[in-house]
């Protein structure tokens, strides 16, 4: 059975592992995502490729940004600011000589759930990937929606405040990106920002830390408002919550609580979507 190198490029970490034709993943590991330059990024990708070069038939890569999946052209790389208007497949193949396919991370997550996960049998759905920004994917009539410019599902760019619409801090991707959550917790708990990660956040929350719980409730409240908006516009059967932090049961509990409150406040009289945590596939 053929094996491939699967790579998920995030704003904080690059996760990678072997995957076969049946979607079975093994040997998962991670490296810190370089944020300084394209050269550093290519070097790290090359290091990962070298580990598996003799075992694989190709590479499948998911990454942030607007990606033309048919050609590998990246309009931009989301939080990876050094990626802009370049063909990522051609660039990577010069260092990693194998067949390479690239897709936007939110769309890749949606396709994975459609193939092997919680979107099986679903006709209309929305994927929310919680990370450095907000990834997204939209299903319509059982098909992934890519859009005229391959930018459908770029939820990070939704504006959240009409009075400050030109400020980047008032976009969905910042308001509900983990960076802002971590900053809020750092300030309220007097903790060094570079020491905060998802594990620490939920360790404190599960122990009943009031300041951390307040920050999480605020985070879930703003997320719930955008879930309401997406439900109003798209009326999906199911909304999936994905990303590393989605593994925390408390997060899903708080999201459901805030979603219920927002829908009650808006007196929304329709059948609510089902909000499911993405079951980890790795």
């Amino acid at each position: 059975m053929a094996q491939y190198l699967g790579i998920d490029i995030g704003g904080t970490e690059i996760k990678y592992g072997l995957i076969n034709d049946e979607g079975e993943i093994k040997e998962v590991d991670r490296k810190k995502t370089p944020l300084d330059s394209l050269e550093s990024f290519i070097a790290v990708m090359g290091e990962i490729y070298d580990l598996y070069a003799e075992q694989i038939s190709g590479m499948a890569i998911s990454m942030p940004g607007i990606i033309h999946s048919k050609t590998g052209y990246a309009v931009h790389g989301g939080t990876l600011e050094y990626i802009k208007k370049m063909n990522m497949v051609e660039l990577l193949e010069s260092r990693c000589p194998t067949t390479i396919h690239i897709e936007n991370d939110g769309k890749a997550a949606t396709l994975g759930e459609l193939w092997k996960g919680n979107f099986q049998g679903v006709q209309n759905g929305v994927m929310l990937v919680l990370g450095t920004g907000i990834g997204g994917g939209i299903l319509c009539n059982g098909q992934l929606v890519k859009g005229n410019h391959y930018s459908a599902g770029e939820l990070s760019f939704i504006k959240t405040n009409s009075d400050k619409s030109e400020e980047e801090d008032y976009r969905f991707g910042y308001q509900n990106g983990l960076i802002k959550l971590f900053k809020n917790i750092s300030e309220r708990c007097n903790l060094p920002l570079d020491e905060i990660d998802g594990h620490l956040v939920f360790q404190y929350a599960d122990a009943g830390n009031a300041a951390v719980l307040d920050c999480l409730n605020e985070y879930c409240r703003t997320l719930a408002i955008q879930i309401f908006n997406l439900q109003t516009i798209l009326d999906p059967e199911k909304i999936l919550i994905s990303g590393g932090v989605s593994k925390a049961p408390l997060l899903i509990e708080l999201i459901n609580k805030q979603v219920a409150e927002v829908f009650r406040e808006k007196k929304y009289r329709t059948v609510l979507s089902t909000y499911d945590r993405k079951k980890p596939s790795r």
Side-chain angles (χ1 to χ4, degrees):
M1 185 179 296
Q3 291 193 117
Y4 307 90
L5 176 56
I7 301 180
D8 176 35
I9 301 167
T12 304
E13 293 183 325
I14 297 174
K15 303 180 183 73
Y16 56 93
L18 292 175
I19 182 170
N20 63 26
D21 293 324
E22 297 299 320
E24 298 167 335
I25 303 173
K26 62 180 181 179
E27 294 188 23
V28 176
D29 208 341
R30 62 191 68 202
K31 287 182 180 288
K32 190 173 180 61
T33 304
L35 299 178
D36 57 336
S37 69
L38 180 63
E39 291 74 22
S40 297
F41 171 77
I42 296 299
V44 170
M45 293 293 285
E47 291 171 7
I48 295 171
Y49 167 78
D50 290 343
L51 295 172
Y52 302 97
E54 302 301 320
Q55 306 175 54
I56 61 173
S57 300
M59 293 168 62
I61 299 172
S62 67
M63 62 176 286
I66 297 177
I67 312 297
H68 290 214
S69 52
K70 289 185 178 180
T71 63
Y73 182 81
V75 177
H76 65 74
T79 55
L80 306 181
E81 296 182 357
Y82 49 75
I83 295 176
K84 187 175 291 185
K85 295 182 179 179
M86 59 184 66
N87 192 298
M88 294 302 297
V89 167
E90 293 177 359
L91 191 64
L92 287 168
E93 283 181 346
S94 67
R95 173 59 180 85
C96 311
T98 187
T99 301
I100 297 176
H101 291 280
I102 296 182
E103 179 59 275
N104 166 269
D105 50 4
K107 292 181 177 66
T110 304
L111 288 170
E113 292 294 339
L114 187 61
W115 179 32
K116 292 289 186 178
N118 293 309
F119 275 149
Q120 292 181 93
V122 172
Q123 290 296 300
N124 301 291
V126 174
M127 165 73 76
L128 289 174
V129 184
L130 309 182
T132 306
I134 302 293
I138 300 168
L139 281 183
C140 183
N141 299 324
Q143 298 292 319
L144 176 68
V145 177
K146 294 196 175 185
N148 192 53
H149 301 94
Y150 290 84
S151 63
E154 283 293 285
L155 305 179
S156 275
F157 295 98
I158 290 175
K159 296 179 184 295
T160 61
N161 187 310
S162 59
D163 294 332
K164 300 181 179 181
S165 62
E166 295 183 2
E167 297 184 27
E168 291 191 2
D169 287 0
Y170 289 90
R171 291 180 180 176
F172 188 22
Y174 180 77
Q175 290 294 312
N176 277 97
L178 294 181
I179 291 175
K180 183 178 181 184
L181 174 63
F182 295 167
K183 283 182 177 178
N184 287 344
I185 291 172
S186 172
E187 292 170 1
R188 297 190 196 183
C189 298
N190 294 316
L191 292 170
L193 180 59
D194 59 3
E195 293 182 7
I196 299 176
D197 59 17
H199 296 292
L200 184 67
V201 168
F202 289 100
Q203 180 181 329
Y204 274 73
D206 289 338
N209 185 291
V212 171
L213 286 169
D214 283 346
C215 290
L216 279 172
N217 270 301
E218 290 170 10
Y219 174 89
C220 292
R221 168 74 182 184
T222 55
L223 181 63
I225 290 170
Q226 296 305 330
I227 287 174
F228 174 89
N229 290 338
L230 291 167
Q231 175 68 31
T232 302
I233 296 166
L234 299 170
D235 190 24
E237 300 168 46
K238 182 176 285 192
I239 294 177
L240 299 186
I241 304 297
S242 182
V245 292
S246 70
K247 296 177 183 178
L250 177 61
L251 179 72
I252 305 304
E253 177 185 330
L254 294 177
I255 291 173
N256 279 316
K257 175 185 174 183
Q258 292 294 340
V259 165
E261 289 184 4
V262 168
F263 275 78
R264 279 197 298 271
E265 290 166 5
K266 303 300 181 182
K267 297 181 174 62
Y268 196 66
R269 304 299 183 184
T270 190
V271 178
L272 302 186
S273 293
T274 301
Y275 300 91
D276 289 340
R277 175 175 68 84
K278 177 185 176 185
K279 297 178 181 178
S281 57
R282 56 180 184 275

